[in-house]
């Protein structure tokens, strides 16, 4: 009995000990969690609790907002010290460093009574310095890559017409096709890549594709209006591992986030030279878990040349719902429509005589764009993020016009016009998972992702009506024997798996290898009409040729990036990455009288590499200097030759020309003069910048005649932008100078022929310089902006077109004035 009692007592003691151990463990866990928390409350100087204050942890790049009671909370994975920034619009920024886990903070923000434009700009400069692309952003890795971010709020520029020369002034090495269509399209390139419709970049809006077809027709007919943008992110060639295979890299247009207010209304109206009128109206707000941002943008103008009228309508809606602290849903819809009359190209003689003339009154272009996107973001914990983005496009582009390769020939009403129409229907899904982890007490990260993309596009070419209006219907009955006829469907499929890993070797050195597996299937199925005529114009052959051209390939792209940060705000970086660009079947089949494409044309392969140093010197100088190399194998290009069909016409022949390389030095330098010389002047700001790219190139080998040893097209030796901005209280101004040296437009390096009064498609683009001035003044809720672009009234051009809107020289805008009135409520 005693033994039994003893055992029972022993069992009771063991049970109590176990319960006590569990209690101790729970208390220890709670204590550990509490110790790994940093909590606090934020008030104004009078003790009033402030909601929607942005609390940013610079150490972990995590951001939260205060709740209705002014409170915030960070749950951290490990103990340590962290640096915080507290920001709310209209209040001074507060920074707190070395805050240890377990701390409870009380922060008081001081309201800025006299919130001038200069004070706002200085606040934005601080926030922008924090928000520039970090090694990790959400579910993306940027370590070791050449990254540039345009903060649109810092720009004093002509935003109403998306003036790319001003908008991208501090992005190095870009070449720009400039036209007078009110900024309806964006055409940027660089490093020997054709700028036409930004087709050599993966172009995205809020992280999803917006081009016609990423594989078969990667041209961007839609450009997000600058007035709606928060920032523009540019990641050079090494972005191919995460965002696609293009040599150019990524351009992502990030639209403004919803305001934390319940409601905000903005209206901007612009008038300018040549009948320009634009209206941009937006509404935005946040109510508990729901937030929204929407805008409507209308544009119309006449252009500085005859036959250049345009009109566009652009609508965007964004809805966001915060399901809980870790999960959110985001929906975007974009509608874009425009109709533009196109003045056509000029010969060299015509341009030199009068660059404002036009002899094409029947050329028209129309775009109808519908974009959809749904994104799910989920944070498993502070170290694991997941995103799933679904997106789709239902769009069309239509063009009609007289496209004779004899540019000086008059366009006679009653003759046939060439009609080209394309429908683009595609959808895709992209999933990403990013996991942060410790490696030898240093923070590393692993990213894995996959993308599925499917499209079924159509391309139609045939006779257009004999009138002058924008009639996009086939005129087969009117012109039954028109030769350039085709009808194609382009089903494309792309499956990609990609991954990168930041290996943090030490606290200041990391290696980021990555891969991308691609399965690409492109197909062109349809028919084209073959018609032969005798010398008397009689039909001797009339038949439809059927085609079903399929290209199916699988490959892997590899790359690696290095990052070394020897001290705070200084980074040495380097990367090398393979690139790939699939040939576009749509280009192969479209017939142009001045441009012929090799039927055996194939994909491009190669790699890009960057080595550079970037950072800040105190708070006065920001810089980024790098050298790069871009190697192409089977580079697609154009050269002058007789038409292979046997005719006597001279054409630009597009084919795989050979192996080429471009290389150069790029540097950006931004100096805050007010922080250097006028630190005590709170309401004064002054900066100066220089953006210099020195680039060279060569065709290393080629089977085409007289190409080997030539320069690569679209590579100016010098590409320089420099300028200054001065602000005092509510007045802001900017002055910018641009110089671009001459560049070839095709691989045979044809020189300028000032006596050419036939074609206009051969020869260099001469060197040119442009000067722009913009200013703004804010009073309460109103802002007045005004400026003059190309105020020296230079005559120049940046493009020799072989198709629409040419063929021929496309002159750039002469001197242009604009005025914008903004009201924010």
């Amino acid at each position: 009995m005693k033994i039994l009692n003893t055992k029972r007592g022993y069992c009771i003691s063991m049970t109590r000990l176990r319960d006590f151990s569990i209690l101790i463990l729970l208390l220890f866990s709670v204590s550990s969690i509490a110790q790994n928390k940093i909590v606090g409350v934020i008030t104004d100087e009078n003790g009033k609790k402030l909601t929607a204050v942005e609390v940013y942890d610079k150490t972990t790049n995590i951001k939260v907002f205060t709740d209705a009671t002014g409170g915030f909370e960070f749950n951290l994975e490990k103990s340590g010290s962290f640096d915080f920034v507290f920001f709310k619009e209209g209040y001074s920024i507060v920074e707190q460093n070395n805050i240890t886990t377990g701390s409870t903070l009380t922060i008081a923000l001081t309201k800025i009574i006299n919130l001038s434009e200069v004070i706002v700009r200085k606040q934005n400069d601080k926030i922008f310095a924090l928000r520039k692309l970090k090694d990790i952003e959400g579910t993306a890795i940027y370590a070791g890559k050449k990254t540039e971010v345009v903060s649109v709020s810092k720009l004093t520029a002509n935003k109403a017409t998306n003036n790319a020369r001003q908008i991208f002034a501090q992005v190095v090495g870009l070449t720009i096709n400039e036209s007078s269509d009110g900024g309806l399209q964006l055409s940027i390139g660089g490093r020997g890549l054709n700028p036409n419709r930004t087709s050599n970049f993966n172009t995205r809006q809020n992280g999803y594709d917006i081009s016609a077809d990423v594989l078969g027709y990667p041209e961007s007919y839609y450009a997000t209006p600058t007035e709606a943008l928060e920032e523009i992110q540019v990641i050079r060639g090494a972005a191919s591992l995460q965002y696609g295979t293009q040599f150019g890299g990524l351009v992502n247009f990030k639209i403004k986030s919803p305001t934390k207010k319940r409601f905000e209304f903005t209206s901007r109206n612009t008038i300018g030279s040549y009948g320009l009128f634009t209206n941009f109206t937006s509404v935005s707000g946040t109510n508990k878990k729901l937030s929204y941002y929407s805008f409507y943008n209308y544009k119309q103008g006449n252009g500085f040349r005859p036959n250049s009228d345009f009109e566009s309508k652009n609508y965007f809606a964004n809805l966001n719902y915060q399901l809980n602290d870790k999960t959110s849903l985001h929906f975007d819809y974009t509608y874009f429509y425009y109709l533009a009359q196109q003045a056509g190209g000029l010969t060299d003689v015509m341009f030199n005589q009068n660059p404002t003339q036009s002899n094409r009154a029947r050329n028209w272009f129309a775009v109808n764009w519908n974009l959809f996107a749904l994104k799910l973001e989920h944070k498993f914990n502070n170290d694991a993020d997941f995103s799933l983005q679904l997106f789709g496009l239902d769009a069309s582009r239509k063009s009609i016009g007289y496209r004779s390769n004899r540019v000086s020939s008059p366009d006679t009403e009653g003759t046939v016009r060439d009609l080209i129409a394309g429908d683009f229907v595609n959808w895709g899904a992209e999933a990403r998972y990013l996991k942060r982890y410790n490696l030898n007490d240093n923070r590393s990260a692993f990213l894995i992702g996959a993308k599925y993309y499917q499209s079924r596009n159509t391309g139609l070419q045939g006779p257009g009506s004999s009138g002058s209006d924008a009639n996009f219907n086939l005129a087969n009955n009117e012109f039954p024997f028109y030769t350039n006829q085709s009808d194609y469907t382009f089903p494309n499929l792309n499956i990609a798996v990609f991954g990168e890993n930041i290996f943090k070797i030490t606290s200041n050195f990391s290696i980021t290898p990555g891969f991308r597996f691609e399965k690409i299937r492109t197909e062109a199925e349809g028919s084209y009409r073959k018609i032969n005529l005798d010398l008397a114009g009689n039909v001797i052959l009339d038949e439809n040729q059927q085609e079903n051209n399929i290209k199916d390939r699988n490959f892997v792209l590899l790359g690696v990036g290095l990052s070394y940060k020897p001290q705070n705000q200084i980074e040495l970086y380097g990367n090398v990455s393979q690139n790939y660009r699939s040939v576009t079947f749509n280009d192969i089949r479209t017939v142009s009288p001045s441009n012929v494409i090799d039927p055996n044309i194939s994909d491009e392969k190669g790699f890009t590499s960057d080595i550079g140093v970037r950072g800040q010197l105190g708070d006065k100088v920001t810089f980024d200097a790098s050298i790069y190399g871009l190697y192409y194998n089977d580079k697609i290009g154009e050269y002058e030759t007789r038409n292979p069909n046997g005719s006597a016409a001279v054409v630009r022949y597009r084919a795989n020309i050979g192996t080429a390389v471009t290389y150069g030095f790029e540097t950006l330098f931004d100096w805050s003069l007010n922080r250097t010389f006028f630190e005590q002047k709170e309401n004064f700001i002054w900066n100066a910048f220089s953006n210099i790219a020195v680039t060279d190139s060569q065709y290393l080998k080629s089977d085409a005649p007289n190409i080997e040893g030539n320069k690569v097209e679209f590579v100016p030796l010098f590409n320089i932008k420099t300028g200054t901005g001065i602000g005092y209280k509510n007045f802001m101004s900017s002055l910018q100078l641009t110089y671009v040296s001459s560049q070839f437009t095709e691989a045979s390096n044809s020189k300028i022929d000032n006596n050419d009064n036939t074609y206009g498609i051969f020869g260099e683009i001469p060197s040119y310089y442009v000067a722009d001035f913009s200013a703004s003044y804010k009073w309460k809720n109103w802002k007045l902006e005004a400026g003059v672009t190309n105020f020296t009234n230079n005559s120049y051009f940046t493009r020799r077109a072989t198709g629409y809107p040419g063929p021929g020289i496309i002159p750039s805008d002469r001197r242009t004035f604009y005025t914008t009135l903004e009201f924010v409520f």
Side-chain angles (χ1 to χ4, degrees):
M1 191 70 178
K2 288 181 180 179
I3 295 174
L4 183 63
N5 287 340
T6 302
K7 288 182 178 180
R8 183 172 179 273
Y10 174 77
C11 291
I12 291 173
S13 298
M14 288 300 295
T15 301
R16 288 176 177 172
L17 181 60
R18 183 185 62 194
D19 293 342
F20 182 72
S21 299
I22 293 174
L23 179 61
I24 292 296
L25 182 60
L26 287 172
L27 289 173
F28 179 77
S29 300
V30 170
S31 175
S32 298
I33 293 172
Q35 288 176 358
N36 289 346
K37 277 186 178 181
I38 295 178
V39 299
V41 65
I42 301 179
T43 70
D44 64 11
E45 62 267 38
N46 298 318
K48 180 183 176 181
K49 305 292 195 302
L50 293 178
T51 64
V53 177
E54 184 177 322
V55 185
Y56 179 72
D57 180 358
K58 293 195 293 183
T59 308
T60 63
N61 293 329
I62 296 174
K63 178 175 63 177
V64 300
F65 290 91
T66 56
D67 57 24
T69 65
F72 69 91
E73 179 179 297
F74 277 89
N75 290 307
L76 302 161
E77 289 295 313
K78 63 177 184 178
S79 60
S81 61
F82 301 85
D83 300 333
F84 287 91
V85 177
F86 306 89
F87 170 73
K88 183 177 178 66
E89 187 174 345
Y91 292 82
S92 58
I93 293 176
V94 172
E95 298 189 44
Q96 294 282 328
N97 297 325
N98 299 318
I99 305 300
T100 57
T101 47
S103 299
T104 300
L105 304 177
T106 300
I107 304 295
L109 301 185
T110 304
K111 190 172 182 62
I112 302 174
I113 305 300
N114 184 21
L115 196 63
S116 69
E117 275 289 271
V118 167
I119 298 298
V120 171
R121 178 69 61 89
K122 288 182 176 181
Q123 297 276 68
N124 289 339
D125 285 347
K126 290 183 180 180
I127 295 300
F128 178 67
L130 296 172
R131 289 177 179 163
K132 287 196 74 170
L133 293 178
K134 310 296 183 184
D135 288 352
I136 301 171
E137 293 264 345
T139 52
I141 290 177
Y142 300 111
K145 296 177 175 61
K146 175 83 170 178
T147 63
E148 293 155 298
V149 181
V150 178
S151 178
V152 175
S153 64
K154 296 175 62 176
L155 298 176
T156 304
N158 187 355
K159 301 176 186 178
T161 60
N162 299 345
N163 189 309
R165 190 173 60 246
Q166 291 180 296
I167 304 301
F168 291 90
Q170 296 201 31
V171 178
V172 293
L174 290 185
T175 50
I176 302 169
N177 280 354
E178 301 175 17
S179 61
S180 58
D181 59 2
L184 301 180
Q185 293 183 14
L186 176 68
S187 292
I188 58 174
R191 299 180 172 182
L193 302 173
N194 192 336
N196 188 38
R197 297 195 184 101
T198 320
S199 59
N200 284 287
F201 283 92
N202 180 228
T203 312
R204 299 192 175 199
Q205 174 181 277
N206 286 350
Y208 50 85
D209 295 305
I210 62 174
S211 58
D213 185 311
V214 176
L215 300 172
Y217 200 59
E219 301 196 6
S220 298
Y221 289 101
Y222 164 65
T224 312
T226 306
E227 291 169 302
L229 291 176
E230 184 174 292
E231 64 185 31
I232 305 171
Q233 302 167 346
V234 182
I235 299 97
R236 294 304 172 99
S240 63
L241 299 179
Q242 288 186 63
Y243 295 103
T245 63
Q246 283 89 344
F247 282 84
L250 169 76
V251 177
N252 182 40
F253 298 97
K254 186 177 179 182
I255 293 177
K256 291 178 180 177
S257 302
T259 179
K260 294 301 176 181
K261 305 174 186 175
R262 279 187 172 270
F263 180 78
E264 183 178 86
F265 171 85
T266 301
S267 179
R268 291 170 54 88
N269 292 279
T270 301
I271 57 173
S273 303
Y274 313 111
L276 175 70
F277 170 74
T278 76
N279 169 264
F280 178 87
T281 300
S282 68
V283 292
S284 178
T286 300
N287 185 11
K288 297 180 180 178
K289 295 185 176 183
L290 179 68
S291 61
Y292 62 91
Y293 178 79
S294 180
F295 71 77
Y296 176 76
N297 188 208
Y298 174 81
K299 295 182 181 181
Q300 71 173 34
N302 303 325
F304 79 101
R305 300 170 64 201
N307 309 315
S308 297
D309 295 356
F310 61 86
E311 182 182 42
S312 74
K313 301 172 184 178
N314 187 189
Y315 170 74
F316 172 82
N318 162 251
L319 294 174
N320 311 278
Y321 189 76
Q322 194 72 36
L323 297 172
N324 52 51
D325 291 341
K326 295 184 177 181
T327 309
S328 59
L329 274 174
H330 312 267
F331 173 75
D332 285 2
Y333 168 67
T334 305
Y335 168 76
F336 178 59
Y337 169 82
Y338 84 82
L339 176 66
Q341 190 175 13
Q342 299 188 312
L346 305 176
T347 66
D348 289 79
V349 170
M350 294 169 69
F351 177 81
N352 292 330
Q353 288 176 346
N354 179 14
T356 66
Q357 66 179 298
S358 165
N359 66 347
R360 298 287 181 263
R362 303 192 300 148
N363 290 13
W364 295 88
F365 193 90
V367 164
N368 192 314
W369 229 246
N370 290 274
L371 279 163
F372 309 86
L374 178 65
K375 187 174 186 179
L376 170 70
E377 292 183 311
H378 179 72
K379 185 179 288 293
F380 292 101
N381 51 53
N382 288 338
D383 286 335
D385 296 282
F386 172 78
S387 66
L388 173 63
Q389 183 122 256
L390 306 176
F391 56 92
L393 173 69
D394 183 1
S396 67
R397 56 85 73 198
K398 298 176 182 179
S399 56
I400 187 170
Y402 181 71
R403 297 194 302 154
S404 170
N405 63 343
R406 294 184 174 272
V407 173
S408 59
S409 300
D411 179 8
T412 306
E413 188 167 349
T415 57
V416 66
R417 293 183 290 174
D418 193 29
L419 172 68
I420 300 176
D423 291 321
F424 309 102
V425 179
N426 58 62
W427 71 276
E430 186 173 81
R432 293 166 168 263
Y433 174 77
L434 187 139
K435 173 67 177 176
R436 299 172 180 84
Y437 62 94
N438 288 332
L439 179 66
N440 296 328
D441 293 327
N442 293 307
R443 209 66 165 155
S444 297
F446 169 70
L447 167 70
I448 188 72
K451 181 179 180 180
Y452 178 88
Y453 181 82
Q454 179 178 317
S455 64
R456 189 173 182 85
N457 307 321
T458 63
L460 174 69
Q461 184 173 8
S465 69
S466 59
S468 299
D469 60 341
N471 182 349
F472 297 106
N473 297 314
L474 282 172
N476 285 320
N477 293 332
E478 191 176 2
F479 302 101
F481 301 115
Y482 184 73
T483 55
N484 298 336
Q485 295 190 53
S486 63
D487 189 356
Y488 275 79
T489 300
F490 304 98
N492 293 333
L493 175 67
N494 178 215
I495 299 173
V497 178
F498 54 89
E500 294 193 33
N501 197 110
I502 300 178
F503 291 103
K504 206 70 178 291
I505 307 303
T506 67
S507 60
N508 54 12
F509 176 64
S510 66
I511 302 175
T512 308
F515 75 93
R516 185 180 185 91
F517 167 77
E518 288 273 349
K519 175 180 175 58
I520 297 177
R521 178 186 173 90
T522 53
E523 186 174 354
E525 55 184 19
S527 63
Y528 65 95
R529 191 175 180 186
K530 186 175 182 180
I531 299 178
N532 291 341
L533 306 176
D534 62 17
L535 296 178
N538 300 309
V539 178
I540 57 176
L541 176 67
D542 184 359
E543 63 181 18
N544 281 331
Q545 299 284 332
Q546 298 292 323
E547 273 190 328
N548 189 8
N549 196 341
I550 299 174
K551 290 178 69 69
D552 202 344
R553 55 272 206 209
N554 304 303
F555 57 90
V556 175
L557 301 177
L558 301 175
V560 63
L562 305 176
S563 173
Y564 176 63
K565 300 174 182 177
Q567 63 186 66
N568 189 30
Q569 298 184 321
I570 300 293
E571 178 185 11
L572 284 78
Y573 63 92
N575 62 73
V576 59
S577 177
Q578 291 176 289
N579 299 98
Y580 181 94
R581 188 173 190 268
S582 61
V583 67
T584 64
F585 283 113
N586 207 7
D587 282 345
I588 291 176
R589 181 41 50 203
T590 302
V591 178
S592 170
S594 58
N595 187 226
V596 176
I597 300 178
D598 182 353
N600 298 314
I601 197 169
S602 61
D603 303 332
E604 292 178 298
K605 307 174 185 67
F607 65 85
T608 57
S609 179
D610 294 278
I611 301 174
V613 57
R614 60 191 171 200
Q616 290 181 254
L617 301 177
D619 60 352
K620 299 176 179 62
V621 174
T622 302
F623 68 94
D624 189 343
S626 65
I627 57 174
Y628 82 90
L630 201 162
Y631 176 88
Y632 315 79
N633 194 24
D634 295 325
K635 175 173 170 53
I636 295 174
E638 298 176 353
Y639 59 93
E640 179 183 351
T641 187
R642 294 286 180 185
N643 196 326
N645 67 7
S647 71
V650 179
V651 295
R652 289 256 290 263
Y653 192 69
R654 190 164 187 253
N656 296 102
I657 293 181
T659 301
V661 62
T662 64
Y663 52 93
F665 170 72
E666 299 173 335
T667 179
L668 174 67
F669 181 88
D670 192 303
W671 182 17
S672 176
L673 296 168
N674 62 288
R675 290 186 184 135
T676 305
F677 302 110
F678 309 99
E679 183 67 31
Q680 304 304 316
K681 293 186 180 294
E682 186 180 45
N683 268 301
F684 179 73
I685 191 169
W686 183 19
N687 83 296
F689 77 92
S690 66
N691 172 353
I692 300 173
V694 182
T695 311
D696 205 353
S697 63
Q698 187 177 19
Y699 278 100
L700 301 178
K701 60 180 180 180
S702 175
D703 293 330
N706 304 315
I707 301 297
E708 190 169 311
N710 284 358
K711 302 295 184 183
V712 176
E713 54 270 41
F714 310 115
V715 181
L717 179 62
F718 298 105
N719 189 342
I720 300 171
K721 297 178 182 67
T722 184
T724 184
I726 298 177
Y728 179 68
K729 292 186 176 179
N730 287 310
F731 174 79
M732 305 295 298
S733 66
S734 69
L735 173 67
Q736 178 180 315
L737 302 175
T738 301
Y739 172 78
V740 180
S741 61
S742 62
Q743 55 188 294
F744 295 108
T745 59
E746 31 74 41
S748 53
N749 288 183
S750 298
K751 303 291 184 180
I752 294 174
D753 181 2
N754 288 320
N755 297 316
D756 174 18
N757 197 25
T758 303
Y759 301 110
I761 62 174
F762 306 113
E764 295 172 273
I765 295 173
S767 62
Y768 63 91
Y769 70 90
V770 192
D772 306 302
F773 175 78
S774 295
S776 69
Y777 183 81
K778 184 177 181 182
W779 179 73
K780 296 184 178 179
N781 293 338
W782 299 86
K783 181 188 284 188
L784 180 66
E785 301 175 9
V788 52
T789 56
N790 188 13
F791 63 73
T792 57
N793 204 28
N794 285 4
S795 294
Y796 69 101
F797 63 91
T798 61
R799 183 184 179 194
R800 291 182 184 266
T802 56
Y804 285 99
I809 292 171
I810 310 299
S812 296
D813 282 6
R814 302 292 294 273
R815 183 187 294 125
T816 302
F817 298 90
Y818 74 94
T819 301
T820 301
L821 182 63
E822 175 186 279
F823 173 72
V824 180
F825 171 75

